[in-house]
Each structure stands twice: as C-alpha cells, then as structure tokens.
Amino acid sequence: MEDPPVQDKRSKELLEKFENPNVLPPSPPRTESSVSDEGLDFPLPPHSTEPSKVLAVDNNTPDSHVPRDPRLIRLTGVHPFNVEAPLSELFNEGFLTSPELFYVRNHGAVPRVEDAEIQDWEFSVEG
C-alpha cells in the first residue's frame, strides 16, 4: 500500500526527520499554573486556547453554533465534521496535544447544549 500524499512542505520535512529515530519532537513549553509541578517527572500540557469563532464554512451547516480551530484539516468535506491536525502542528506541540488539535469523528450534527439545561440532564450506561 502506498503512503498518502503529504499535505505541505513543513509536514514533509518533519516526516523526513522522523525517519531518523534519534530525532524527537520538542517538549512542550513550561506553562504558568497555580499548581506546583515540583517533583513531577512529566511535562505539563501545552497552553490551550479554546476556539471562539464559528468558521465561515460552517455557517450553513447544522453545526453553525460550534466554534472550531481553523488549523484542522477536514477529511470528509464540510459536514459531518471529521478532521485531523496537520502533522507540523502536532510536532510543534510536542508529546502532548492541546484539546483544540484533537482529531474529531462525527456521524451527524453536534447537539446544541445550553448551560442552564445541563443540570436537568440524566446519563445512564446500560449493557
């Protein structure tokens, strides 16, 4: 099976670096936190910035209320929303991935949830 085409020049450069097993992605930068990480032997997650704007491409879809990170690569067109982060962005994050760059797999619309309604929700697991 042939490898999929590389999205951009930066991703191609990073893939070539990974062919050398001695090259590792950078550790995430230290983050300011009220919690002390003294004595911890693992890095804190990278700084996260929650998307605040609905993208223009989503305006006429059932997901027109969901803000999204514009760096994500859409895999199945506009809707349903199925995306992955560019390899170059993941490499720049280091070993830990911020929430806005997680991959997304949806089979339909994202439900609209109002904060005031959440108190009345019930959740059950059966099986």
Side-chain angles (χ1 to χ4, degrees):
M1 181 178 214
E2 196 172 310
D3 289 335
V6 176
Q7 293 286 338
D8 57 44
K9 182 180 176 184
R10 175 78 174 130
S11 294
K12 186 174 182 174
E13 290 170 0
L14 293 172
L15 282 172
E16 289 169 359
K17 279 185 179 181
F18 273 119
E19 289 176 0
N20 178 350
N22 297 321
V23 176
L24 299 173
S27 293
R30 295 190 58 82
T31 56
E32 298 297 322
S33 173
S34 60
V35 178
S36 170
D37 63 346
E38 220 173 279
L40 299 178
D41 60 353
F42 54 87
L44 293 174
H47 176 71
S48 179
T49 304
E50 189 173 329
S52 60
K53 192 167 101 177
V54 174
L55 301 177
V57 69
D58 290 324
N59 283 338
N60 294 322
T61 72
D63 291 343
S64 62
H65 62 284
V66 183
R68 300 216 163 95
D69 192 305
R71 296 175 293 174
L72 297 171
I73 299 169
R74 293 176 186 254
L75 303 174
T76 55
V78 176
H79 186 78
F81 189 65
N82 291 291
V83 296
E84 293 176 355
L87 179 61
S88 56
E89 294 292 335
L90 291 175
F91 185 85
N92 291 337
E93 294 259 324
F95 287 106
L96 302 174
T97 303
S98 56
E100 61 270 11
L101 289 179
F102 283 176
Y103 71 92
V104 178
R105 299 293 183 268
N106 285 328
H107 295 282
V110 175
R112 185 181 296 264
V113 178
E114 302 297 334
D115 289 341
E117 297 172 354
I118 293 174
Q119 298 292 331
D120 299 327
W121 284 28
E122 293 182 14
F123 180 77
S124 66
V125 178
E126 300 175 17

